[in-house]
Amino acid sequence: MSNDNLFELTQVAKRFTKGKETISIFHDLNMQIKEGDFLAIMGPSGSGKTTLLNLLGGVDQPTEGQITFDGQRIDNLSEGQLAKWRANNIGFIFQFYNLMPMLNAARNVELPLLLTNLNRNERQKQVKVALELVGLSDRANHMPSEMSGGQQQRVAIARAVVSDPKFLLCDEPTGDLDRQTADEILQTLQLLNEKFGKTIVMVTHDPSAAKFAKQTVNLNKGEFVKAEELLA
Amino acid sequence: MKDLYLVYKNLTRKKMRLFLTTFAIFIAFLIFGAIMTLRGALNSGVEMSADNRLVVVHKTNFTNPLPYSYVNKTKAIDGVKQVTHANWFGGYYQQPANQVVTFAVEPESYLAVYPELVIEPEQRKAWLNNQASVLVGQRIAMANGWKVGDRIPLSSNIFSHKDGGQTWDFVVEGIFTGAEEKTDTSYLLFHYKYFKETQSWGGDSIGWLILTTVDASMNESVAKAIDSNFANSNAETDTSTEQAFNKAFIEQIGNIGLIIFGVVFMAFFTILIVVGNTMVLAIRERTGEIAVLKTLGFASIRIFKMVIIESCLLAFLGGLLGLGAAYLLIQGASENLARFLPNLVLDQNIVLQALGYILLLGLITGIAPAISALRLNIITAFNRG
Ligand SMILES: Nc1ncnc2c1ncn2[C@@H]1O[C@H](COP(=O)(O)OP(=O)(O)O)[C@@H](O)[C@H]1O
Ligand SMILES: [Mg+2]
């Protein structure tokens, strides 16, 4: 095991049980993600991309196998421990932004900081920095309903990075955006990766989105396949 | 609490819904405050009665008179401490509609039996020394604007003055207050002797006897002794504790307690369902948002608390407004009703009870949605959304 691996998945299996039926998503998944990587995960619908992100993000637990983050096992943490771990280490970016509709942009970005010991003043400072980073300083007081999809996704990115996590997880972050807006969002992610050293895993359907990543892997039926194999 | 802003924003996100639920709770506690106060006013006679005070009335009908000789005969009975008596005057001031409760009493013994009536010593002396004077309760004095030294004509709708007419002229020699806020001070007292000397029928009958026992534990035996003492006379008696007497009097008006309980209970139950249902719907609408908060790292118990706080805030918003409105309503009403319901006060006990119920309402309506928020699984929530 080399030390610059942020994530290591070893012999991970994941099954869902619905009544009598058991769906097996992963049988024996092995994976390493290096610190500073920007990894795109592609693959057909239902191939297990979201399930993989959920495992990486500590939102879900593997049925079998080990997941370590920064050398520490997370697959055996309790729900409460995982919540704390997520708050400290992971920034989430969703396809549909998932902003709180009753909070303005600044208050939305502030949410993860409510889980820290920072006082209101310090929180506001950090929110300001995060909004500047995504180019939305002038929208701090706008409600989500007053913003375009691209702007909302920027707010969501600001929310994901405001508490300075090492790791960003993006599930089809541009799936709901037009080409140009999508490219702007992807450039922002690239910036976060290159200039701020964030390790990013991004699920996408879109090959041109994947081009922004440093590496692309393909999932098919719960297994990684070479891109050439998928194309062939 | 850092999450309070979030709670506040959730509470106020749908203005119309907030208004309607607040209004429902408002109405519930307006009713609660008003009705409990009314009940308190009606019951205060019962509560305020000393527990060693007995009332002796005519057995057949409590409005029938008793012979004066009963005063001394009662004094002679074992366990009796003090005895006094009263006659109903049936008074009104200036016009029949303006009823003033007036009793003709034996002044010294009456004040001895009712130590909760507080009078300044000089006023007490002046009243005792002036046969043609009245001692006025503070509440009724205020309602009529009477002061010490005022001359007030009181008319009876039962008795006639021996000089003709039905009006007696009195001087206000004293004003009594109550030892407690709830002490009834909405009546007048004047001299029994003067009453008998100046009314046209004469006679020496009394309306009823009030006595104290040496100890409350002797109440029952003393009451039995009195009633058996006067058994088979032409004025048989019925002796009961003042509490029981006042209660029986109220029960004649109707079973107020039960009616009040029914109304309050129904109002509460309805509002509980309305508010509870609203909270459940409100939280169900936010399933996705709760899943996001949990994903960001908000602990389940923290979200549980946020929901409970939200429902409690809602309950307190409506409840306190309702109590406030009840207070204003009662303030207004008590000025007009002072004569009939002297103790119309929204007191501390009612407020504390109401606060308890407000909290209970908040907890009950919040608990179910809070538990579902607590249990909400991120993955199933996102799959559903
Ligand atoms: N909570 C769950 N319960 C049962 N089946 C699930 C659950 N989550 C995902 N699945 C199934 O697992 C498979 C992979 O889903 P997912 O990871 O969402 O795929 P992708 O994101 O690549 O489209 C799908 O067949 C889906 O129906
Ligand atoms: Mg997916």
Side-chain angles (χ1 to χ4, degrees):
Chain A
M1 276 191 224
S2 68
N3 276 341
D4 59 352
N5 279 343
L6 195 57
F7 262 111
E8 292 193 14
L9 280 69
T10 316
Q11 298 181 327
V12 165
K14 181 66 188 172
R15 293 184 284 275
F16 290 112
T17 318
K18 245 184 208 164
K20 283 178 193 165
E21 221 177 319
T22 297
I23 315 165
S24 178
I25 313 291
F26 304 119
H27 326 282
D28 179 19
L29 196 70
N30 294 284
M31 185 184 190
Q32 292 90 35
I33 301 169
K34 285 193 173 51
E35 183 144 17
D37 207 350
F38 184 172
L39 179 69
I41 300 177
M42 296 193 63
S45 197
S47 57
K49 303 184 296 293
T50 296
T51 305
L52 178 58
L53 277 200
N54 286 342
L55 292 174
L56 292 174
V59 168
D60 204 355
Q61 303 272 52
T63 315
E64 285 167 32
Q66 281 189 16
I67 302 178
T68 60
F69 176 83
D70 236 356
Q72 185 203 347
R73 275 184 71 170
I74 61 158
D75 55 271
N76 52 7
L77 296 183
S78 71
E79 197 201 301
Q81 289 171 320
L82 270 180
K84 265 197 201 116
W85 176 81
R86 289 196 298 271
N88 291 332
N89 297 293
I90 312 290
F92 290 91
I93 296 161
F94 308 88
Q95 179 176 0
F96 298 107
Y97 334 126
N98 283 341
L99 301 178
M100 302 288 140
M102 73 294 182
L103 300 181
N104 66 25
R107 290 285 189 171
N108 263 293
V109 174
E110 191 188 354
L111 282 174
L113 298 180
L114 295 178
L115 302 165
T116 66
N117 291 325
L118 301 179
N119 64 34
R120 175 94 176 107
N121 229 333
E122 296 164 327
R123 297 202 298 269
Q124 276 175 320
K125 264 185 215 156
Q126 239 168 287
V127 167
K128 207 166 163 256
V129 172
L131 280 173
E132 261 164 33
L133 186 74
V134 297
L136 282 179
S137 300
D138 54 336
R139 300 287 166 142
N141 295 318
H142 285 226
M143 303 305 283
S145 59
E146 299 162 353
M147 289 185 278
S148 70
Q151 286 169 333
Q152 289 186 59
Q153 194 60 299
R154 286 172 180 284
V155 174
I157 293 172
R159 178 179 67 186
V161 299
V162 73
S163 56
D164 200 24
K166 274 189 180 172
F167 194 73
L168 297 184
L169 284 176
C170 322
D171 197 350
E172 313 213 18
T174 58
D176 207 43
L177 300 173
D178 61 66
R179 182 77 264 142
Q180 197 196 326
T181 314
D183 285 354
E184 284 166 19
I185 293 294
L186 290 160
Q187 277 157 16
T188 305
L189 290 178
Q190 223 168 25
L191 177 86
L192 287 168
N193 174 247
E194 285 167 8
K195 292 269 172 341
F196 294 89
K198 304 289 173 205
T199 309
I200 301 179
V201 171
M202 173 178 76
V203 159
T204 183
H205 262 113
D206 177 7
S208 51
K211 288 201 184 97
F212 285 81
K214 285 177 178 167
Q215 264 199 78
T216 301
V217 293
N218 293 282
L219 254 189
N220 195 17
K221 293 176 184 152
E223 286 181 38
F224 290 120
V225 292
K226 292 216 170 69
E228 304 82 61
E229 289 174 31
L230 205 66
L231 289 174
Chain B
M1 172 119 184
K2 289 182 215 161
D3 300 341
L4 221 52
Y5 182 79
L6 205 59
V7 172
Y8 164 75
K9 279 292 171 182
N10 272 327
L11 181 65
T12 55
R13 64 198 288 170
K14 293 206 166 159
K15 302 286 185 291
M16 193 59 183
R17 180 162 71 192
L18 175 66
F19 172 78
L20 289 175
T21 42
T22 304
F23 185 71
I25 300 168
F26 167 85
I27 292 292
F29 283 92
L30 174 61
I31 293 174
F32 181 84
I35 274 185
M36 291 301 280
T37 304
L38 185 66
R39 191 180 79 149
L42 291 169
N43 276 347
S44 64
V46 179
E47 282 169 31
M48 281 297 111
S49 32
D51 50 8
N52 70 334
R53 219 149 46 197
L54 302 185
V55 180
V56 185
V57 296
H58 196 285
K59 190 177 179 180
T60 325
N61 188 323
F62 73 88
T63 58
N64 284 2
L66 299 171
Y68 184 79
S69 60
Y70 279 24
V71 176
N72 279 327
K73 286 180 184 164
T74 304
K75 267 183 198 158
I77 288 168
D78 254 7
V80 172
K81 194 168 147 200
Q82 296 155 308
V83 180
T84 191
H85 56 88
N87 285 62
W88 178 251
F89 178 69
Y92 62 88
Y93 177 57
Q94 289 173 336
Q95 61 227 27
N98 193 7
Q99 297 274 340
V100 289
V101 176
T102 308
F103 303 131
V105 301
E106 202 291 295
E108 296 215 43
S109 61
Y110 195 88
L111 292 179
V113 168
Y114 287 94
E116 68 264 37
L117 307 186
V118 180
I119 325 159
E120 295 198 3
E122 316 89 72
Q123 292 188 9
R124 177 190 165 103
K125 217 166 132 197
W127 178 55
L128 293 179
N129 290 336
N130 183 353
Q131 287 289 307
S133 72
V134 279
L135 179 68
V136 182
Q138 188 185 38
R139 208 183 293 265
I140 202 162
M142 267 163 55
N144 290 289
W146 296 332
K147 298 178 302 297
V148 172
D150 280 1
R151 306 197 144 266
I152 55 167
L154 288 184
S155 309
S156 172
N157 41 30
I158 307 169
F159 304 101
S160 310
H161 199 286
K162 70 176 192 310
D163 298 340
Q166 298 197 300
T167 303
W168 273 253
D169 281 305
F170 289 110
V171 183
V172 177
E173 288 286 15
I175 291 177
F176 69 88
T177 56
E180 283 183 61
E181 198 188 354
K182 279 195 169 181
T183 306
D184 186 4
T185 62
S186 60
Y187 57 96
L188 288 79
L189 299 171
F190 72 103
H191 293 245
Y192 168 77
K193 228 172 111 199
Y194 181 70
F195 173 54
K196 286 298 167 184
E197 284 165 11
T198 52
Q199 60 136 311
S200 54
W201 311 347
D204 66 351
S205 60
I206 55 171
W208 62 94
L209 290 159
I210 310 102
L211 60 100
T212 53
T213 57
V214 174
D215 189 275
S217 64
M218 301 172 78
N219 286 358
E220 217 162 301
S221 62
V222 168
K224 261 192 200 137
I226 294 171
D227 290 343
S228 61
N229 190 44
F230 300 124
N232 304 318
S233 72
N234 45 16
E236 295 192 66
T237 59
D238 181 12
T239 304
S240 56
T241 63
E242 189 179 41
Q243 258 163 354
F245 180 73
N246 284 338
K247 213 167 171 181
F249 182 71
I250 284 171
E251 271 162 11
Q252 286 188 335
I253 304 173
N255 200 334
I256 292 151
L258 200 67
I259 296 168
I260 285 172
F261 180 77
V263 170
V264 169
F265 181 79
M266 281 192 345
F268 262 80
F269 198 70
T270 311
I271 276 142
L272 189 79
I273 289 172
V274 169
V275 177
N277 199 42
T278 308
M279 276 304 291
V280 167
L281 288 178
I283 300 304
R284 191 173 299 163
E285 278 170 17
R286 288 182 223 154
T287 300
E289 291 167 31
I290 291 169
V292 170
L293 286 179
K294 286 195 175 186
T295 305
L296 296 183
F298 280 77
S300 294
I301 190 72
R302 189 160 169 171
I303 293 167
F304 175 89
K305 279 185 203 155
M306 281 163 63
V307 175
I308 290 282
I309 290 171
E310 182 179 341
S311 66
C312 286
L313 276 181
L314 181 66
F316 275 94
L317 179 66
L320 292 180
L321 286 174
L323 269 189
Y327 178 78
L328 294 178
L329 184 79
I330 285 156
Q331 284 286 88
S334 69
E335 276 164 33
N336 300 316
L337 295 177
R339 221 164 288 131
F340 312 105
L341 287 171
N343 292 313
L344 209 57
V345 276
L346 197 133
D347 67 15
Q348 198 183 327
N349 272 338
I350 298 174
V351 172
L352 286 178
Q353 250 187 66
L355 291 178
Y357 282 120
I358 291 173
L359 184 64
L360 199 67
L361 180 76
L363 293 177
I364 291 179
T365 53
I367 193 76
I371 286 176
S372 58
L374 178 83
R375 289 203 187 138
L376 186 99
N377 178 281
I378 299 175
I379 304 201
T380 30
F382 278 136
N383 281 354
R384 217 186 299 153

